[in-house]
Amino acid sequence: MSTKQFDVVVIGGGPGGYIAAIRSAQLGFNVACIDEWKNDKGGPALGGTCTNVGCIPSKALLQSSEHYEQLNHHFADHGITADNVKIDVAKMLARKDQVVKQNNDGIVYLFKKNKVTFFHGRGSFVAAKDGGYELKAGEEVIFAKQVIIATGSNARALPGVPFDEENILSNDGALRVGATPKKLGLIGAGVIGLEMGSVWRRLGAEVTVLEGLPAFLGAVDESVAKEAAKVFKKQGLDIQLGVKVGEVKSSKKGVSVAYTDSKGEAKTLEVDKLIVSIGRVPNTIGLAPEAVGLKLDERGAIVVDDECKTNLPGVWAIGDVVRGPMLAHKAEEEGVAVAERIAGQHGHVNFNTIPWVIYTSPEIAWVGKTEQQLKAEGVAYKAGQFPFLANGRARALGDTTGFVKFLADAKTDEILGVHIIGPFASELISEAVVAMEFKASAEDIARICHAHPSLSEATKEAALAVDKRTLNF
Ligand code: FAD
Ligand code: NAI
């Protein structure tokens, strides 16, 4: 049997990989994608970390738990009361699995529609050959003129404390906890710590988060982080900063975590389950980079230049397995850009306008520079802020927490950063991304007609606040 030949082979079917495959196919290439993820029945489950154990299932659980929280604590303000409110965790998890499956199936459909050949199994380098690469795709050997690596990342474990996914959980186990734990511990108050901590706190768990750094949400604008800390504390999330985690012991009864608190006092946290969310490591397991001399850095990430080119001709790498933020939309943008570069076009990813969202309640979203970054860089800036408390739609919603904050260049008025904490921040941030992509000034946003009543009026007002001329505050 002759070896199957492809113009482009993508290794990994997460958001980076499947989007790269589709865009390559749109550009007229003969494309294959290899992905090894298995569903419960051993079949394929396209979509990678994001679809299977990341973005999508976490948002499904965040939504279910938020409904429960609203019914328990907030609907009474609207005159709606219900007795005997219960949460069926098994049903909630089944719904989450269904949402994941719809996304898995959606990608299978998209591959068919775009004529992308799919191999279910591990992809690895065999050898460089005839100006291209021989690859293993599961049991088959195939040939690729161009290779795009999108093998993603894995959860980082505490040294000497492997995940057992029963008591000591990565993001995978954290999304499959079968009943609300009485006490839940999390190591790391980053994005996963806050999102998963919120889910189980809303469902009734007593949640303690142990964070190594002395500052809360260090990458977030300080005023937003301060507001978030205040709100999360009020919600009952116990976030302890500046701790040093020591021995972690797991038994049938649960997990005990020895740690030193910020004052240097030795303490022990006893919990039923422990989620370790201390960041993620790039994944090249089974890829056999050594077979072709593919260069990795000391963190295990594939070394790429600004255009996602590796040290090998015709081999590209994108998403979590390379430098930059570990975000699905960043992986997707790199996938599109690489496909277009292979086609001789000028694909581009603007790293300055990649939005970040933390899907807690309130949501936190931002794009561009934080105030502390601008200060450190010595940039002269103006700041404007508008609270949701003064926004009619937020009052009608019954959710007036937080604010929108604009940072603009002192001289040119160009928007340098936008920071939102509050309802639907994940949706509101898009306007700021578009504005920054078009190099808009704060004045541009301030002069645009925004629908009334809408949360987006808070964005317009924050832009007005840059020149101290808010109309509603
Ligand atoms: P991945 O999604 O990790 O996909 C890699 C794929 O490659 C996997 O299917 C893997 O099985 C496969 N693979 C690996 N090696 C091989 C091989 N040798 N052969 C064949 N297949 C292979 N990001 C956001 O933007 N928004 C969010 O809300 C968000 N929420 C998250 C929540 C959680 C709990 C977690 C853990 C992550 C979240 N992320 C979120 C991050 C997001 O999931 C990642 O940034 C994104 O999945 C990276 O995409 P990728 O394509 O680079 O890799
Ligand atoms: P993270 O980088 O967001 O947070 C990790 C936290 O753990 C940091 O605050 C760090 O200081 C702390 N930490 C590290 N080592 C520690 C130790 N030994 N003891 C105590 N604290 C320690 O990483 P996280 O939450 O694991 O998420 C991984 C990545 O997944 C994120 O960086 C993000 O890129 C992506 N993600 C994105 C989401 C989104 O976009 N909404 C949601 C969830 C994950």
Side-chain angles (χ1 to χ4, degrees), residues 18-41:
Y18 90 76
I19 290 291
I22 290 172
R23 185 71 189 119
S24 301
Q26 284 176 347
L27 289 162
F29 294 117
N30 177 19
V31 183
C33 177
I34 316 168
D35 186 84
E36 64 179 346
W37 204 290
K38 286 189 184 131
N39 63 22
D40 293 344
K41 294 181 187 102

Side-chain angles (χ1 to χ4, degrees), residues 129-207:
K129 201 179 161 193
D130 303 334
Y133 296 88
E134 221 170 46
L135 303 168
K136 266 196 103 178
E139 295 310 309
E140 284 193 53
V141 174
I142 61 175
F143 176 83
K145 283 190 200 150
Q146 301 274 334
V147 180
I148 304 175
I149 304 166
T151 46
S153 63
N154 291 317
R156 187 152 78 88
L158 282 165
V161 188
F163 298 113
D164 59 22
E165 304 298 3
E166 266 301 316
N167 283 345
I168 301 174
L169 313 172
S170 70
N171 57 296
D172 188 356
L175 291 159
R176 287 189 282 112
V177 177
T180 306
K182 199 162 168 301
K183 289 187 175 188
L184 173 70
L186 292 108
I187 314 276
V191 201
I192 295 181
L194 294 174
E195 290 188 358
M196 295 318 296
S198 293
V199 166
W200 296 107
R201 183 209 50 82
R202 290 170 192 165
L203 300 182
E206 201 179 295
V207 178

Side-chain angles (χ1 to χ4, degrees), residues 13-330:
Y18 90 76
I19 290 291
I22 290 172
R23 185 71 189 119
S24 301
Q26 284 176 347
L27 289 162
F29 294 117
N30 177 19
V31 183
C33 177
I34 316 168
D35 186 84
E36 64 179 346
W37 204 290
K38 286 189 184 131
N39 63 22
D40 293 344
K41 294 181 187 102
L46 275 162
T49 302
C50 178
T51 303
N52 292 298
V53 290
C55 329
I56 299 299
S58 62
K59 266 80 249 177
L61 296 189
L62 278 157
Q63 190 60 54
S64 300
S65 59
E66 182 61 13
H67 284 325
Y68 184 69
E69 169 108 333
Q70 288 289 331
L71 190 49
N72 271 322
H73 300 294
H74 303 293
F75 277 14
D77 295 346
H78 299 258
I80 305 164
T81 50
D83 294 330
N84 207 11
V85 177
K86 284 194 208 124
I87 176 81
D88 180 342
V89 172
K91 192 158 184 187
M92 176 183 80
L93 294 183
R95 175 188 173 273
K96 178 259 303 178
D97 291 343
Q98 192 53 33
V99 173
V100 168
K101 189 173 177 308
Q102 285 164 355
N103 283 272
N104 296 143
D105 293 348
I107 303 168
V108 172
Y109 161 78
L110 290 171
F111 274 6
K112 279 195 187 127
K113 181 181 159 198
N114 288 284
K115 300 190 173 53
V116 173
T117 304
F118 173 55
F119 293 93
H120 187 213
R122 176 160 283 181
S124 52
F125 282 102
V126 177
K129 201 179 161 193
D130 303 334
Y133 296 88
E134 221 170 46
L135 303 168
K136 266 196 103 178
E139 295 310 309
E140 284 193 53
V141 174
I142 61 175
F143 176 83
K145 283 190 200 150
Q146 301 274 334
V147 180
I148 304 175
I149 304 166
T151 46
S153 63
N154 291 317
R156 187 152 78 88
L158 282 165
V161 188
F163 298 113
D164 59 22
E165 304 298 3
E166 266 301 316
N167 283 345
I168 301 174
L169 313 172
S170 70
N171 57 296
D172 188 356
L175 291 159
R176 287 189 282 112
V177 177
T180 306
K182 199 162 168 301
K183 289 187 175 188
L184 173 70
L186 292 108
I187 314 276
V191 201
I192 295 181
L194 294 174
E195 290 188 358
M196 295 318 296
S198 293
V199 166
W200 296 107
R201 183 209 50 82
R202 290 170 192 165
L203 300 182
E206 201 179 295
V207 178
T208 308
V209 190
L210 301 180
E211 165 60 45
L213 291 177
F216 179 56
L217 286 178
V220 174
D221 190 86
E222 266 168 17
S223 56
V224 171
K226 215 166 135 196
E227 176 78 2
K230 203 170 75 190
V231 181
F232 294 148
K233 189 169 178 201
K234 208 166 144 205
Q235 290 174 350
L237 272 183
D238 177 9
I239 302 170
Q240 301 195 26
L241 303 175
V243 309
K244 199 166 181 328
V245 174
E247 198 181 5
V248 178
K249 281 193 230 151
S250 175
S251 70
K252 268 193 191 139
K253 276 198 256 155
V255 187
S256 92
V257 183
Y259 69 99
T260 322
D261 73 8
S262 58
K263 295 186 195 110
E265 261 178 58
K267 298 216 164 139
T268 308
L269 175 71
E270 306 278 355
V271 288
D272 302 304
K273 305 269 177 196
L274 181 74
I275 299 173
V276 178
S277 47
I278 56 169
R280 298 179 61 82
V281 285
N283 169 42
T284 53
I285 297 168
L287 184 68
E290 66 288 349
V292 285
L294 178 67
K295 208 165 146 192
L296 310 185
D297 69 14
E298 61 291 346
R299 289 183 320 124
I302 296 174
V303 177
V304 289
D305 66 8
D306 289 349
E307 298 198 315
C308 294
K309 280 184 187 141
T310 69
N311 64 312
L312 302 174
V315 179
W316 312 72
I318 59 172
D320 280 12
V321 77
V322 303
R323 63 6 195 178
M326 288 185 169
L327 294 172
H329 41 282
K330 175 263 193 185

Side-chain angles (χ1 to χ4, degrees), residues 353-355 366-367 418 428-438:
T353 55
I354 294 175
W366 72 96
V367 59
V418 176
L428 293 174
I429 199 65
S430 291
E431 179 180 8
V433 176
V434 173
M436 285 184 64
E437 196 60 54
F438 283 92

Side-chain angles (χ1 to χ4, degrees), residues 391-405:
N391 174 273
R393 183 72 193 279
R395 284 196 213 111
L397 268 178
D399 190 355
T400 53
T401 320
F403 54 82
V404 180
K405 173 173 171 179

